[in-house]
Amino acid sequence: RDRPAVEAKKRAIGETLEDAEEVADHYNKRREVGIHGREESPIIALRKFNNWVKSVLVGTFARGRDPHLDGRARARGGRVLDLGCGKGGDLKKWEKVRPSGLVGADIAAVSIEQAIARHQESNRGFPGDFFAFDCFSKSLADVIPLELLEPMFDNVTLQFCMHYAWESVDKARIMLDNVARYLRKGGTFIGTIPDSRELRDRMAASRHPEDRSFGNRYYKVMFDQTESWPAFGNRYTFFLEDAVENVPEYVVDFDVFEELAYEAGLRCIYRKNFAEIYHEGSRQGEYGKLLQRMGVVDDYGTLNVNEDMWQAATLYLGFAF
Ligand code: SAM
């Protein structure tokens, strides 16, 4: 859907469709294409690259309960909270660190149904509980039974979704409270978001300043305004070929994020653009091999992601608190 059409629809029915509803509506309408359909996607190489980055974050930062274990084993037995879990695309990545349980939540009810089905279809070896609600406007305890929250989580993960919370400081605070309240001391919070430095630099260098946009054949970012750079509600619409169709998102200024997170008891230990994660990870034995196994690079170690897709990929950063 293009944004003007959505705005026109809102006006026509005299309705103020909230951005969060629009986001939910978008993700609810995305079809489940299955593994074979996914292979046909024009951005399959980018999807694989993003999945590799998430695997690196999980492998590097996942925590369990036994302080004597190290490496991947360190994460064994940990409990996971996946907010904005979508269709459960990361279940397999978590399975590798053998958690004792996972709780997933997402605003898109259709995606949650798919996540439940995905978890049930393959015997994941750990219990999974899934809930459909707006994780950036509601407290977890309003929806999720306490017996799933109070054992505390060792890991909280928000992949490619935290930027939707940056509409207002209130939403960002609710989101961070949901992250921190049931995260045990010493546990980790990981995620991926658009890199605010990249958004700013690319907009400044844009060849299309007249419509406040930049991008290429795979992605497009279009700002509502460029006169100021507010800490919250700095809205743009995002398009990603075969994935996201002009959905409203918000810039997450990382310094502001770090400050708010600190107030919630979270300390930043890692922040890297995807380009850096790739350059570092590809030189590490385990993650270098994983690049090949996941089909991100070919047999000669050459990236399958072309230059334009690389531009879309490196719009993002990964973080850990
Ligand atoms: N984390 C999944 C992954 O990495 O494959 C899904 C990422 S998808 C790009 C963004 C997800 O954020 C969507 O599933 C969307 O429904 C979810 N989302 C957006 N706003 C949300 C909110 N307020 N509460 C919960 N989930 C939300």
Side-chain angles (χ1 to χ4, degrees), residues 23 27 54 84-86 106-108 133-136 159-161 164:
V23 170
Y27 285 104
K54 290 193 280 183
C85 66
D106 197 285
I107 196 171
F133 69 101
D134 182 342
C135 306
F136 310 149
Q159 301 299 334
F160 297 105
C161 61
Y164 296 114

Side-chain angles (χ1 to χ4, degrees), residues 135 187 290 304:
C135 306
L290 191 63
N304 288 326

Side-chain angles (χ1 to χ4, degrees), residues 62-201:
R63 293 286 180 275
R65 293 281 160 108
D66 188 342
H68 304 297
L69 296 173
D70 51 351
R72 224 171 224 191
R74 186 182 47 208
R76 244 177 245 162
R79 297 189 73 236
V80 183
L81 174 65
D82 188 347
L83 299 180
C85 66
K87 305 167 192 163
D90 291 343
L91 284 169
K92 220 162 124 184
K93 298 175 193 74
W94 286 105
E95 188 180 343
K96 295 229 163 65
V97 298
R98 300 211 248 144
S100 57
L102 181 142
V103 174
D106 197 285
I107 196 171
V110 176
S111 300
I112 285 296
E113 278 165 29
Q114 290 166 351
I116 293 169
R118 224 181 239 198
H119 177 261
Q120 279 169 351
E121 269 159 25
S122 39
N123 183 6
R124 297 278 170 203
F126 58 88
D129 293 277
F130 299 90
F131 302 87
F133 69 101
D134 182 342
C135 306
F136 310 149
S137 298
K138 262 198 171 134
S139 293
L140 298 186
D142 290 344
V143 183
I144 304 177
L146 275 183
E147 59 265 31
L148 286 175
L149 296 174
E150 295 209 316
M152 305 290 272
F153 294 99
D154 303 275
N155 309 281
V156 178
T157 175
L158 271 87
Q159 301 299 334
F160 297 105
C161 61
M162 199 190 76
H163 37 290
Y164 296 114
W166 238 247
E167 182 176 0
S168 66
V169 67
D170 291 346
K171 276 198 174 183
R173 285 218 160 95
I174 292 174
M175 179 276 296
L176 284 169
D177 185 63
N178 281 339
V179 168
R181 187 168 292 268
Y182 304 99
L183 178 63
R184 76 157 167 86
K185 201 169 173 213
T188 55
F189 161 40
I190 57 172
T192 42
I193 47 170
D195 185 337
S196 55
R197 285 183 193 151
E198 290 297 323
L199 286 169
R200 192 173 205 161
D201 293 351

Side-chain angles (χ1 to χ4, degrees), residues 12-302:
I13 54 180
E15 173 197 12
T16 49
L17 200 63
E18 289 274 334
D19 279 357
E21 285 174 52
E22 196 177 326
V23 170
D25 192 44
H26 168 80
Y27 285 104
N28 272 329
K29 283 188 180 137
R30 283 208 60 78
R31 311 173 287 127
E32 172 70 326
V33 289
I35 190 141
H36 299 296
R38 261 197 301 283
E39 283 296 324
E40 318 270 283
S41 166
I43 56 153
I44 182 65
L46 177 60
R47 286 180 195 274
K48 287 180 178 173
F49 177 77
N50 287 343
N51 275 319
W52 176 82
V53 170
K54 290 193 280 183
S55 297
V56 171
L57 291 176
V58 170
T60 310
F61 295 107
R63 293 286 180 275
R65 293 281 160 108
D66 188 342
H68 304 297
L69 296 173
D70 51 351
R72 224 171 224 191
R74 186 182 47 208
R76 244 177 245 162
R79 297 189 73 236
V80 183
L81 174 65
D82 188 347
L83 299 180
C85 66
K87 305 167 192 163
D90 291 343
L91 284 169
K92 220 162 124 184
K93 298 175 193 74
W94 286 105
E95 188 180 343
K96 295 229 163 65
V97 298
R98 300 211 248 144
S100 57
L102 181 142
V103 174
D106 197 285
I107 196 171
V110 176
S111 300
I112 285 296
E113 278 165 29
Q114 290 166 351
I116 293 169
R118 224 181 239 198
H119 177 261
Q120 279 169 351
E121 269 159 25
S122 39
N123 183 6
R124 297 278 170 203
F126 58 88
D129 293 277
F130 299 90
F131 302 87
F133 69 101
D134 182 342
C135 306
F136 310 149
S137 298
K138 262 198 171 134
S139 293
L140 298 186
D142 290 344
V143 183
I144 304 177
L146 275 183
E147 59 265 31
L148 286 175
L149 296 174
E150 295 209 316
M152 305 290 272
F153 294 99
D154 303 275
N155 309 281
V156 178
T157 175
L158 271 87
Q159 301 299 334
F160 297 105
C161 61
M162 199 190 76
H163 37 290
Y164 296 114
W166 238 247
E167 182 176 0
S168 66
V169 67
D170 291 346
K171 276 198 174 183
R173 285 218 160 95
I174 292 174
M175 179 276 296
L176 284 169
D177 185 63
N178 281 339
V179 168
R181 187 168 292 268
Y182 304 99
L183 178 63
R184 76 157 167 86
K185 201 169 173 213
T188 55
F189 161 40
I190 57 172
T192 42
I193 47 170
D195 185 337
S196 55
R197 285 183 193 151
E198 290 297 323
L199 286 169
R200 192 173 205 161
D201 293 351
R202 292 186 198 192
M203 189 57 242
S206 166
R207 278 182 285 169
H208 303 284
E210 68 290 349
D211 71 351
R212 304 174 303 279
S213 76
F214 64 86
N216 61 32
R217 63 188 150 137
Y218 294 110
Y219 83 102
K220 184 172 177 183
V221 168
M222 189 189 247
F223 276 90
D224 281 11
Q225 58 84 32
T226 49
E227 284 87 53
S228 61
W229 192 255
F232 300 95
N234 191 359
R235 193 165 88 149
Y236 57 89
T237 48
F238 186 64
F239 168 84
L240 179 66
E241 173 72 27
D242 197 37
V244 183
E245 291 148 48
N246 297 317
V247 172
E249 301 189 358
Y250 304 90
V251 177
V252 180
D253 184 293
F254 205 90
D255 295 335
V256 176
F257 170 31
E258 234 185 302
E259 254 173 59
L260 277 194
Y262 194 79
E263 283 172 21
L266 302 160
R267 187 170 50 85
C268 184
I269 52 171
Y270 177 97
R271 169 213 181 148
K272 285 194 171 130
N273 183 276
F274 279 17
E276 213 180 332
I277 298 179
Y278 171 72
H279 292 305
E280 262 182 32
S282 56
R283 279 186 249 115
Q284 288 171 11
E286 184 191 350
Y287 298 124
K289 278 188 216 129
L290 191 63
L291 275 173
Q292 219 151 42
R293 276 209 306 280
M294 292 179 78
V296 181
V297 299
D298 64 17
D299 292 346
Y300 304 99
T302 309

